[in-house]
Amino acid sequence: MADGAAARDRLILGLETSCDDTCAAVVTEDGEVRSNAIASQGLLHARYGGVVPEIASRHHLELIDAVTADALERAGARLDDLDRVAVTQGPGLIGALLVGLSSAKALAASRRLPLVPVDHLHGHVTASMLGPDPVEPPYLCLVASGGHTFIARVDEPAAYTVLGQTLDDAAGEAFDKGARLLGLGYPGGPQIDRLAREGNAAAFDFPRSAPGELDFSFSGLKTALLYRLRDDPEASRPDLAASYQRAIVDALVRRAERALERERLDRLAIGGGVAANSELRAAAARLGATVWVPPRELCTDNAAMIAGAARFLEALPYPDYLSLDAAARLA
Ligand code: KG4
Ligand code: ZN
């Protein structure tokens, strides 16, 4: 498509397969999400209590073509209408990433389109820049998911600076592990969220570890819950869930508040699966900042955020990207 085409007509196809969701989306140059298709493998992994990398890769392979076709169809677009293709290069499960990257290369090469490799975390950080009410830099972003938990500063959309991060478990992982100890299913976040509504968050005093000014640590919290259950097997499950959730949310919100103050920012964007948590949303709304929480489908892993981030990044022309590799960790 010609460079002079209106932004709303320039379409980016995004693919995301870094973990257990097979995702494809079509986003316009001006940030409108035309489609956001997600095939979740969640139930397949549920019986193992976590994501099994080899199973994830195999299912990505089976699903990626259909999910891509679905995203194009829902957007009313054909491959010939695309301006470029974006794909998650890392970080993530290497076998899973390779499926998306190979597929994106093949699609782009078939039309001689440019390809944009995208950092998955950059996608989460800029998810709030999509849609009709985009957050504008400078802003602070709190990303809390099953795989990552960090606070970043965004001064311009092409880059972000991590100010603090978890030193052990991610916040979503803390929810999942806590839920398992409480005998709830996987993923645990939504279950703890639900059960916590019936409980008293002040019933138990779980630790809020503070390993650094803006860093997080959740592994001690999980151990505290384990000991509490061992010492008091009859303890009220709703009270435990509410108190445990309160400890995680407190840790997240206090660091966000401190970062906003220190960085003198008044805009906060929240992303990652844990952004769905009702207590986190309520607590963030009480901070002295304007808060953006994208719709749930843009918080959890998705390809719209990858195509969205690609708007701000350099595209590799055909055929320069054919030798591109995925990376479990990006430098
Ligand atoms: O972003 P996401 O879908 O996948 C990763 O990149 O990890 O996040 C999934 C995580 C899981 O750990 C899940 O338990 C958590 O997000 N989660 C929640 C809620 N909904 C999902 N955690 C707390 N409260 C929720 N309502
Ligand atoms: Zn993610």
Side-chain angles (χ1 to χ4, degrees):
M1 189 161 289
D3 278 352
R8 67 173 187 283
D9 296 326
R10 295 184 63 186
L11 303 180
I12 306 169
L13 171 71
L15 300 186
E16 148 67 41
T17 61
S18 67
C19 191
D20 63 337
D21 294 320
T22 314
C23 318
V26 176
V27 167
T28 65
E29 188 68 48
D30 57 359
E32 184 196 336
V33 180
R34 291 276 170 91
S35 67
N36 191 16
I38 302 176
S40 174
Q41 304 178 11
L43 288 176
L44 284 168
H45 299 274
R47 64 176 146 142
Y48 303 104
V51 176
V52 183
E54 187 52 34
I55 294 180
S57 314
R58 276 192 238 166
H59 280 95
H60 284 311
L61 205 51
E62 284 168 12
L63 292 166
I64 189 74
D65 287 347
V67 174
T68 305
D70 189 30
L72 287 168
E73 191 185 318
R74 289 192 209 191
R78 296 162 305 150
L79 277 180
D80 290 323
D81 300 326
L82 299 176
D83 188 75
R84 56 204 191 276
V85 177
V87 63
T88 304
Q89 187 181 19
L93 304 170
I94 192 68
L97 288 163
L98 277 169
V99 175
L101 184 66
S102 312
S103 185
K105 281 186 199 173
L107 285 169
S110 74
R111 296 294 189 281
R112 306 285 194 267
L113 292 173
L115 183 93
V116 191
V118 178
D119 162 12
H120 178 82
L121 304 182
H122 190 211
H124 277 302
V125 165
T126 51
S128 287
M129 297 186 73
L130 288 166
D133 174 32
V135 60
E136 280 179 26
Y139 64 90
L140 192 80
C141 187
L142 167 68
V143 176
S145 73
H148 13 260
T149 295
F150 64 95
I151 292 182
R153 183 187 167 104
V154 184
D155 286 300
E156 39 116 6
Y160 63 97
T161 310
V162 175
L163 304 176
Q165 60 195 311
T166 181
L167 304 181
D168 40 55
D169 293 349
E173 209 176 344
F175 271 107
D176 294 337
K177 288 178 175 172
R180 200 182 315 169
L181 292 172
L182 290 169
L184 304 169
Y186 170 88
Q191 314 237 18
I192 290 193
D193 198 348
R194 215 170 298 129
L195 189 60
R197 277 176 215 154
E198 301 157 26
N200 172 12
F204 300 98
D205 190 19
F206 285 119
R208 276 79 164 150
S209 78
E213 195 194 355
L214 297 177
D215 287 330
F216 305 92
S217 165
F218 294 109
S219 62
L221 176 60
K222 170 193 66 195
T223 313
L225 176 61
L226 178 69
Y227 288 165
R228 172 55 56 195
L229 281 164
R230 198 188 54 188
D231 296 346
D232 183 5
E234 301 305 316
S236 148
R237 294 302 187 263
D239 285 354
L240 284 169
S243 305
Y244 188 80
Q245 171 170 282
R246 175 66 53 85
I248 298 175
V249 169
D250 262 6
L252 296 172
V253 172
R254 280 194 204 164
R255 300 294 189 295
E257 189 171 27
R258 195 174 300 165
L260 284 165
E261 273 170 27
R262 195 187 85 179
E263 301 291 313
R264 297 180 192 285
L265 292 171
D266 58 6
R267 284 175 223 158
L268 173 67
I270 303 184
V274 179
N277 185 266
S278 52
E279 189 172 341
L280 176 62
R281 284 168 173 254
R286 290 192 293 269
L287 290 173
T290 314
V291 180
W292 276 259
V293 188
R296 190 169 156 65
E297 63 275 15
L298 293 179
C299 283
T300 56
D301 284 351
N302 67 88
M305 69 180 190
I306 300 304
R311 294 178 296 150
F312 313 117
L313 302 170
E314 209 168 317
L316 301 170
Y318 173 84
D320 293 7
Y321 49 80
L322 291 177
S323 58
L324 200 68
D325 219 346
R329 287 175 188 280
L330 291 182

